[in-house]
């Protein structure tokens, strides 16, 4: 089944085309956040201006025509309302014009499923780390849904890294500018907050922000990164052992961090577990992950009448049915 998926939950407008689980195209345009962060109305306007161009590029890359598309997927949530609405409207318009079925996809499920596909894993514990989310998850086969084993009690780890990058007047991009400075840093003691399999990042962000000027920024970046990632590793290790899992997957924007992957690989190795992740292109927000899940949903008859399609800014992963 040839399926086109649209992702627009935050600063990326992405379009992917998938057939029988194979990615034929994955095109995107990304709003540049600058130091002001995401301004919803501006990002939505950016998505509107870029939608036609990105859809056209994806079709060209796939070598297929619009009339060959057999199904449409879009991100229902979670995400920023005005941004989600642009993708929803584009998807509904296309589905209506083409007379094909449409599937509303949970963004977090899509991140995990595409990483599973590349890592060739079936039933891993997944550490999903991005700007808006940081959760430890595993499918509960009886419920047919992902179960949240642990999660942030306040902000996502990517949000913390981006917020601190803005405090330092650096370009915020999923922690990459923090990671660059961290290479030259030394450790400074910072708040470390893990409660069972849950964790918290606001204390760490507040303390690092207070220390700007009295500690070197390289040391603060290094120490923030090491502390936050160690917290994620401790909580993940506890979840892995509690569920007796043999596979660990990391996904989401912050899964692009080489240092986080290095720490998780060491953790997995120490327990004799497999560790995996997707190529960076598919850890950042992308349309291919939405198309991949939409194809699975549509094949199982999990489509939605166009008139009933909606968005949900707080669409939790444990509310989404899983098709595997
Ligand atoms: Fe995401």
């Amino acid at each position: 089944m040839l399926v086109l998926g649209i992702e627009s939950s935050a600063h990326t407008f992405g379009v992917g085309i998938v057939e029988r689980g194979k990615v034929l195209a994955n095109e995107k345009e990304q709003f540049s956040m600058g130091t002001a962060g995401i301004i919803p109305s501006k990002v939505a306007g950016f998505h509107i201006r870029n939608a036609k161009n990105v859809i056209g590029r994806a079709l060209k890359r796939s070598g297929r025509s619009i009339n060959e598309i057999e199904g449409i997927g879009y991100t229902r949530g979670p995400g920023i309302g005005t941004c989600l609405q642009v993708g929803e409207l584009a998807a509904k318009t296309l589905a209506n014009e083409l007379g094909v079925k449409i599937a509303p996809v949970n963004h977090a499920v899509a991140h995990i499923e595409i990483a599973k596909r590349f890592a060739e894993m079936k039933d891993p514990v997944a550490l999903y780390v991005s700007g808006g989310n940081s959760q430890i998850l595993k499918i509960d086969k009886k419920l047919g849904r992902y179960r949240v084993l642990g999660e942030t009690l306040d902000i996502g780890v990517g949000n913390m890294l981006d917020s601190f990058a803005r405090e330092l007047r650096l370009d915020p991009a999923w922690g990459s500018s923090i990671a660059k400075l961290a290479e030259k840093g030394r450790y400074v003691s910072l708040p470390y907050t893990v409660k069972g399999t849950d964790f918290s990042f606001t204390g760490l962000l507040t303390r690092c922000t207070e220390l700007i000027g009295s500690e070197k920024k390289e040391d603060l970046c290094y120490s923030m990164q090491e502390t936050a990632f160690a917290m994620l590793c401790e909580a993940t290790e506890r979840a892995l052992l509690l569920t007796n899992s043999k596979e660990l997957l990391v996904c989401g924007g912050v899964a692009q961090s080489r240092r986080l992957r290095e720490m998780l690989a060491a953790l997995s190795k120490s327990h004799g577990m497999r560790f995996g992740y997707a190529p960076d292109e598919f850890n950042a927000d992308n349309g291919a992950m939405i198309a991949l899940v939409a194809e699975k949903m549509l094949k199982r008859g999990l489509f939605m009448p166009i008139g009933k399609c909606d968005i949900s800014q707080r669409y939790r992963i444990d509310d989404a049915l899983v098709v595997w």
Side-chain angles (χ1 to χ4, degrees):
M1 189 175 201
L2 189 68
V3 175
L4 182 147
I6 299 176
E7 155 60 28
S8 71
S9 64
H11 62 334
T12 299
F13 189 90
V15 177
I17 297 178
V18 161
E19 188 171 41
R20 289 191 292 277
K22 188 176 174 216
V23 178
L24 304 183
N26 188 39
E27 295 292 315
K28 67 175 79 171
E29 282 295 332
Q30 199 171 313
F31 180 81
S32 173
M33 288 193 282
T35 50
I38 289 181
I39 300 167
S41 58
K42 284 197 173 181
V43 187
F46 173 86
H47 289 348
I48 291 168
R49 289 193 299 281
N50 284 282
K52 191 177 170 189
N53 170 32
V54 181
I55 292 168
R57 270 172 27 212
L59 285 165
K60 194 171 177 191
R61 171 78 62 168
S62 72
R64 312 296 279 271
S65 85
I66 187 79
N67 292 320
E68 291 177 80
I69 298 294
E70 298 169 282
I72 301 286
Y74 74 96
T75 305
R76 179 174 184 251
I80 300 165
T82 50
C83 299
L84 289 168
Q85 280 170 339
V86 178
E88 179 210 9
L89 187 60
K92 288 202 285 196
T93 305
L94 278 175
N96 192 43
E97 285 291 314
L98 299 171
V100 298
K101 300 266 191 297
I102 185 167
V105 175
N106 180 283
H107 181 87
V109 168
H111 267 300
I112 298 174
E113 292 302 321
I114 200 153
K116 273 166 67 179
R117 149 97 174 67
F118 280 102
E120 297 181 352
M121 289 184 175
K122 283 214 156 39
D123 188 26
V125 162
L127 175 63
Y128 167 43
V129 274
S130 68
N133 300 281
S134 292
Q135 292 177 316
I136 305 166
L137 303 138
K138 192 169 194 298
I139 288 178
D140 183 320
K141 290 188 175 170
K142 276 189 198 154
L143 289 175
R145 289 161 200 260
Y146 274 99
R147 196 163 155 214
V148 180
L149 302 172
E151 63 186 327
T152 178
L153 299 171
D154 39 52
I155 57 173
V157 64
N159 186 347
M160 178 199 69
L161 294 166
D162 284 353
S163 298
F164 191 56
R166 278 194 288 275
E167 293 289 344
L168 293 175
R169 302 273 180 257
L170 303 171
D171 183 29
W174 310 117
S176 58
S177 47
I178 299 280
K180 210 168 185 182
L181 279 178
E183 286 170 15
K184 297 172 203 152
R186 293 183 174 199
Y187 185 70
V188 176
S189 183
L190 293 173
Y192 179 100
T193 316
V194 176
K195 296 170 189 271
T197 48
D198 292 333
F199 31 84
S200 157
F201 295 113
T202 47
L204 183 54
L205 175 60
T206 303
R207 186 63 184 141
C208 281
T209 306
E210 283 171 354
L211 290 172
I212 293 173
S214 56
E215 299 284 354
K216 284 170 64 183
K217 59 185 177 183
E218 288 83 357
D219 294 349
L220 290 175
C221 289
Y222 173 75
S223 307
M224 169 181 262
Q225 198 177 258
E226 291 297 301
T227 306
F229 293 171
M231 283 160 50
L232 290 170
C233 284
E234 182 188 330
T236 302
E237 184 173 31
R238 199 162 285 134
L240 281 165
L241 297 175
L242 282 170
T243 53
N244 208 16
S245 296
K246 298 284 174 259
E247 294 175 333
L248 172 61
L249 185 78
V250 65
C251 63
V254 184
Q256 294 170 86
S257 163
R258 301 298 187 266
R259 179 59 183 144
L260 177 60
R261 295 201 306 231
E262 190 179 85
M263 289 166 82
L264 292 169
L267 164 67
S268 307
K269 195 176 173 192
S270 72
H271 291 290
M273 295 164 183
R274 272 192 73 214
F275 172 61
Y277 50 86
D280 285 348
E281 175 187 356
F282 299 100
N283 275 318
D285 286 351
N286 66 89
M289 67 182 192
I290 304 301
L292 185 84
V293 175
E295 187 189 19
K296 286 187 185 185
M297 290 172 72
L298 293 170
K299 278 184 173 171
R300 305 279 172 92
L302 291 173
F303 57 86
M304 188 67 76
I306 292 179
K308 287 195 172 176
C309 286
D310 62 356
I311 59 147
S312 172
Q313 291 183 74
R314 298 183 187 278
Y315 186 19
R316 276 186 65 92
I317 191 169
D318 39 8
D319 288 332
L321 278 176
V322 174
V323 183
W324 72 91

